[in-house]
Amino acid sequence: MSKFTALGLDENILKAITDMGFETPSEVQEKAIPILLEKDTDMVALAQTGTGKTAAFGFPMLQKINVGSRTTQGLILSPTRELCLQITNEIKNYGKYYKGLNVVAIYGGASITDQARNIKKGAQIIVATPGRMKDMIGRRMIDISKIEYCVLDEADEMLNMGFYEDITEILSHSPKDKSTWLFSATMPREVSAIAKKFMFEPVEITVGGKNMGAENVSHEYYLVNARDRYQALKRLADANPSIFSVIFCRTKRDTQKVAELLIEDGYSAAALHGDLSQNQRDLVMKSFRNRQIQMLVATDVAARGIDVENITHVINYQLPDEIETYTHRSGRTGRAGKTGISMVIVSKSERRKIHTIEKMIQKKFVAKDVPSGMAICEVQLFHLANKIKETEINHEIDAYLPNINEVLEEFSKEELIKKVFSVEFTRFYNYYKKSKDLNASVGDTSEGGSEDSVRYFINVGEKDDFDWMTLKDFLKEMLQLEKDDLYKVDVKESFSFFNTDTKHQELVMNFFKDFELEGRRVSVEISKDTGRGRRGGRDRGRGGDRDRGGSRGGFKKRSGGRRDDRRSDGGGRDDRRRDDRRGDGEKREGGRSGGRKEGSRDGDNSGFKGRSRRKSDRPNNSGTGGRRRRN
Ligand code: ADP
Ligand code: MG
């Protein structure tokens, strides 16, 4: 059986674990579960986001409560409505083989009488936001005088949101001898204080360094002038056609504004923040989980703890005021063993914050250049090529084919390809042809200029299990070049770019003239984009946007056979089967819970406009990466 057996979990939970496809316990699970199962103790567990904390407290709680009884025995407090529902679903799922289990979610903004009715039926476990919970205890709708286990999840955030008093009030109605388990990603002073106040000799568990971000997230920053922030954001999106991302802004207003701009520009984006009605937020989260939205623009509070599968990028449109928040932001990606990228758009005045964050997360940022317009056109074209290649033919069109063929009769295959691609290319090209270099220079510009450097296109990428380091090693070995001879290695889904000095051009081109890798032809061409900017990954500010000529003879490059939207799992690692949490779990709560009720406001200022896209002179993604396939 699975490695979970060793933790002492019972048959019901093990069966659910198998169903969910979890194979090995995460570190926090390995450390917390045996202790919590074995004794009744308080616990403080600190672990990075996305490390499976819900199961770390959920499994033991389920196993320890008595499902035969209808008394409320477990209480889980969490900061937002969204998280509350997420945890409820998760716990229900973990406990699906326990007959008679009743888990009830309690949160603001929904009918209190419905919730009270559900409680009355006998809820062994209640998952609640503090505001509504306090309210219902006050109205004697909930009795927690017999609970044995209390979890404070995302404790730091609950305190941030000013729930200290509510929590104190709630816990004053609970028995003194219960066990309290506190779970948090960070341990600010307030959390230690709460631990002292509410707990007795808690067992402490720390996984990874405190405040360190998830391990499989890489961090990049893009230095721009503050006024170019939005343009930079668009380029980052355009250069990553399969992007599925959360974009963080500092204020609700900026969040709303950026989302609106993106929508106007034809992206599938939406805003998520506390000024939206519950209904709007539900709609947005649902669309995001369904991947109808590619870019969720959110405030920190609104997106806290959100667990959506396969988020490829987190983009910090602005850096947060408190750097600890950065960990939470970047933790939205790189979850459950997947890889992710956290990007920061940074202005000169904020740049030193990057170093502070580096110290905190104990990881280095890579200074990257905002891609040039031509680089984006190129990416989009190859994305389209891949997409065409992978598209399954829809035979519903068969009936129309004779007529379509007639219209296109006069064109050869070559010509047709050129035309199809021109549709896409011209759109991006027209938009980007006059685009400027958005990279702010730091002063230490020019070290050679692009004349000395050649950028290449190579038709291998992430789907061949390359990342920039392994591709660099591979090229280094093949070409017998030194580490510094190869730079600006930039790996995309099914192709990549790299640079060498011009003096190596002949060597590179000759080497790849007839090259095969595992039976597949690997070809290298000179790229139009010079890959301006830093060399060797750190220094920046080379020459301008120059066309390096070197015709690439149409865009007929072949690429490997696999799907193109694998970026999120780093190219073929495990494909855990997981519960599809769509359904009723997409609601959230913004700001304080119980107190503020915001019925459903009319008018749609959620920034979510469903599938319609406005036409604009700007390129939109509909042709290329617009709507991602679910995988
Ligand atoms: P945290 O609360 O630490 O941020 P979650 O409890 O939300 O993390 O878990 C993150 C994701 O990882 C969830 O989708 C969860 O289903 C999944 N997960 C949890 N434990 C495991 C495991 N042992 N193996 C695989 N996936 C897991
Ligand atoms: Mg969590």
Side-chain angles (χ1 to χ4, degrees):
M1 263 281 325
S2 78
K3 298 201 184 107
F4 283 94
T5 324
L7 302 182
L9 293 166
D10 71 19
E11 206 44 47
N12 284 334
I13 290 181
L14 291 174
K15 264 199 302 195
I17 289 173
T18 309
D19 289 355
M20 290 184 293
F22 293 2
E23 278 164 15
T24 41
S26 68
E27 199 180 334
V28 67
Q29 292 164 0
E30 206 156 36
K31 286 185 170 164
I33 293 172
I35 298 176
L36 296 180
L37 283 178
E38 204 162 293
K39 46 185 183 177
D40 285 328
T41 172
D42 288 351
M43 174 176 282
V44 173
L46 298 183
Q48 303 152 11
T49 54
T51 51
K53 292 193 284 297
T54 319
F57 61 75
F59 292 165
M61 183 182 280
L62 279 165
Q63 188 159 325
K64 290 182 102 169
I65 57 162
N66 173 7
V67 260
S69 153
R70 286 162 29 117
T71 310
T72 299
Q73 302 154 59
L75 170 66
I76 300 165
L77 291 175
S78 83
T80 64
R81 165 183 156 124
E82 162 64 28
L83 257 187
C84 174
L85 284 161
Q86 192 173 287
I87 295 167
T88 308
N89 280 339
E90 201 97 325
I91 302 276
K92 279 184 182 164
N93 205 25
Y94 302 159
K96 66 179 178 185
Y97 292 109
Y98 285 108
K99 264 224 169 72
L101 174 70
N102 194 13
V103 186
V104 174
I106 296 295
Y107 49 88
S111 158
I112 199 165
T113 39
D114 286 355
Q115 291 177 357
R117 199 172 314 125
N118 286 335
I119 296 284
K120 256 209 153 121
K121 286 184 209 151
Q124 295 96 350
I125 297 178
I126 293 177
V127 188
T129 55
R132 174 58 66 93
M133 186 68 191
K134 187 184 118 192
D135 205 10
M136 291 181 74
I137 292 177
R139 298 207 215 172
R140 300 184 193 288
M141 288 168 154
I142 293 182
D143 174 12
I144 53 165
S145 64
K146 301 214 173 57
I147 60 167
E148 289 168 58
Y149 309 100
C150 173
V151 174
L152 305 173
D153 192 27
E154 303 275 359
D156 50 350
E157 181 65 6
M158 285 202 284
L159 295 174
N160 263 345
M161 291 171 69
F163 282 135
Y164 181 82
E165 250 112 67
D166 290 356
I167 294 173
T168 313
E169 167 72 24
I170 292 166
L171 295 185
S172 73
H173 294 270
S174 70
K176 282 227 151 47
D177 62 354
K178 66 180 179 303
S179 302
T180 305
W181 306 338
L182 182 152
F183 283 76
S184 185
T186 62
M187 185 75 167
R189 201 169 321 121
E190 295 82 357
V191 175
S192 332
I194 210 174
K196 279 216 187 76
K197 184 169 161 82
F198 295 111
M199 302 169 121
F200 176 72
E201 295 181 356
V203 177
E204 285 187 30
I205 286 179
T206 306
V207 172
K210 290 177 189 175
N211 281 342
M212 274 172 32
E215 267 164 38
N216 17 16
V217 177
S218 52
H219 304 264
E220 304 176 344
Y221 77 85
Y222 295 81
L223 188 67
V224 302
N225 292 315
R227 64 170 182 281
D228 289 331
R229 248 180 235 283
Y230 178 69
Q231 296 304 325
L233 171 64
K234 276 179 43 170
R235 289 213 197 163
L236 294 178
D238 287 344
N240 294 285
S242 316
I243 195 165
F244 181 53
S245 64
V246 184
I247 296 155
F248 285 97
C249 297
R250 209 153 27 195
T251 64
K252 291 179 205 165
R253 238 172 80 212
D254 287 344
T255 303
Q256 184 65 29
K257 193 185 75 194
V258 169
E260 279 172 11
L261 284 171
L262 285 171
I263 292 162
E264 254 173 56
D265 285 344
Y267 297 86
S268 54
L272 186 72
H273 56 71
D275 280 352
L276 304 176
S277 74
Q278 222 86 80
N279 256 339
Q280 290 168 327
R281 290 201 291 261
D282 292 354
L283 211 61
V284 166
M285 276 314 294
K286 191 167 178 170
S287 310
F288 188 55
R289 286 185 200 274
N290 290 342
R291 296 180 165 247
Q292 283 156 3
I293 288 171
Q294 272 188 290
M295 299 162 89
L296 180 72
V297 192
T299 56
D300 288 300
V301 173
R304 186 63 182 273
I306 284 181
D307 181 48
V308 174
E309 277 180 52
N310 298 334
I311 289 175
T312 59
H313 294 75
V314 164
I315 302 182
N316 293 262
Y317 185 76
Q318 294 142 337
L319 276 174
D321 289 326
E322 287 176 38
I323 57 160
E324 287 79 20
T325 307
Y326 180 83
T327 319
H328 290 286
R329 290 183 172 189
S330 52
R332 293 314 102 218
T333 182
R335 298 176 75 77
K338 305 279 174 68
T339 58
I341 300 176
S342 174
M343 299 173 154
V344 181
I345 301 175
V346 74
S347 67
K348 271 189 249 178
S349 62
E350 296 171 314
R351 205 164 63 118
R352 56 191 166 75
K353 268 198 176 175
I354 294 287
H355 301 301
T356 323
I357 294 174
E358 281 180 336
K359 273 199 213 116
M360 176 184 73
I361 61 175
Q362 293 173 31
K363 271 186 159 185
K364 284 275 174 217
F365 273 79
V366 180
K368 284 241 177 176
D369 280 322
V370 179
S372 70
M374 278 319 289
I376 287 169
C377 292
E378 201 161 334
V379 166
Q380 290 286 348
L381 278 175
F382 285 100
H383 183 72
L384 176 63
N386 269 315
K387 214 175 129 165
I388 292 176
K389 189 181 154 107
E390 312 264 315
T391 297
E392 272 181 41
I393 291 172
N394 180 342
H395 288 286
E396 293 299 313
I397 66 174
D398 288 355
Y400 307 99
L401 278 180
N403 289 336
I404 295 175
N405 282 334
E406 212 169 290
V407 176
L408 301 174
E409 205 171 35
E410 57 191 288
F411 304 114
S412 68
K413 176 186 166 191
E414 289 280 282
E415 283 169 321
L416 277 178
I417 291 177
K418 283 184 192 167
K419 275 180 179 288
V420 167
F421 279 74
S422 297
V423 173
E424 198 63 18
F425 184 73
T426 309
R427 211 149 47 92
F428 277 94
Y429 180 75
N430 284 345
Y431 177 61
Y432 276 120
K433 66 183 168 198
K434 293 202 193 88
S435 64
K436 58 170 187 162
D437 183 357
L438 293 184
N439 297 293
S441 58
V442 215
D444 61 341
T445 42
S446 91
E447 28 102 292
S450 57
E451 283 89 348
D452 301 343
S453 178
V454 184
R455 187 148 177 86
Y456 308 86
F457 162 93
I458 183 167
N459 66 339
V460 295
E462 282 170 0
K463 66 172 174 41
D464 306 291
D465 287 338
F466 281 115
D467 60 21
W468 71 270
M469 276 179 288
T470 50
L471 182 62
K472 185 167 175 163
D473 285 344
F474 168 76
L475 291 169
K476 203 174 73 187
E477 204 176 300
M478 289 295 146
L479 298 165
Q480 299 280 303
L481 287 173
E482 290 303 312
K483 168 167 122 251
D484 290 341
D485 293 336
L486 292 152
Y487 43 94
K488 292 181 206 154
V489 181
D490 196 2
V491 177
K492 305 283 181 194
E493 305 161 83
S494 56
F495 53 90
S496 309
F497 299 98
F498 64 94
N499 276 45
T500 69
D501 287 351
T502 309
K503 61 177 186 239
H504 298 304
Q505 177 177 337
E506 219 179 298
L507 166 81
V508 175
M509 296 313 286
N510 281 339
F511 183 85
F512 283 105
K513 223 175 219 155
D514 259 318
F515 184 80
E516 283 195 6
L517 180 65
E518 289 165 12
R520 184 155 76 84
R521 172 119 174 69
V522 173
S523 57
V524 166
E525 295 183 10
I526 292 173
S527 164
K528 285 225 174 204
D529 174 52
T530 53
R532 293 155 303 92
R534 97 226 98 70
R535 196 191 138 123
R538 280 267 153 202
D539 46 345
R540 25 175 63 242
R542 323 191 98 230
D545 243 16
R546 193 152 308 175
D547 187 334
R548 294 217 56 91
S551 121
R552 47 194 359 241
F555 293 89
K556 57 178 191 285
K557 265 293 147 254
R558 183 152 308 178
S559 68
R562 286 192 278 155
R563 345 180 18 152
D564 63 352
D565 53 354
R566 315 174 46 96
R567 116 178 3 263
S568 49
D569 57 14
R573 77 180 68 195
D574 58 352
D575 218 352
R576 295 191 186 93
R577 221 172 79 228
R578 303 227 315 258
D579 158 39
D580 181 352
R581 253 181 271 90
R582 279 179 294 157
D584 37 49
E586 297 77 29
K587 305 173 186 169
R588 69 159 313 275
E589 172 175 81
R592 310 272 314 234
S593 62
R596 182 209 294 154
K597 258 163 260 150
E598 313 180 272
S600 46
R601 237 179 268 149
D602 38 15
D604 181 5
N605 64 349
S606 65
F608 168 54
K609 303 244 173 78
R611 289 165 177 273
S612 65
R613 286 155 177 287
R614 228 198 280 170
K615 270 240 158 72
S616 78
D617 58 338
R618 276 153 281 204
N620 69 37
N621 290 354
S622 59
T624 49
R627 207 70 58 192
R628 300 197 61 205
R629 243 171 307 152
R630 276 181 70 77
N631 48 3

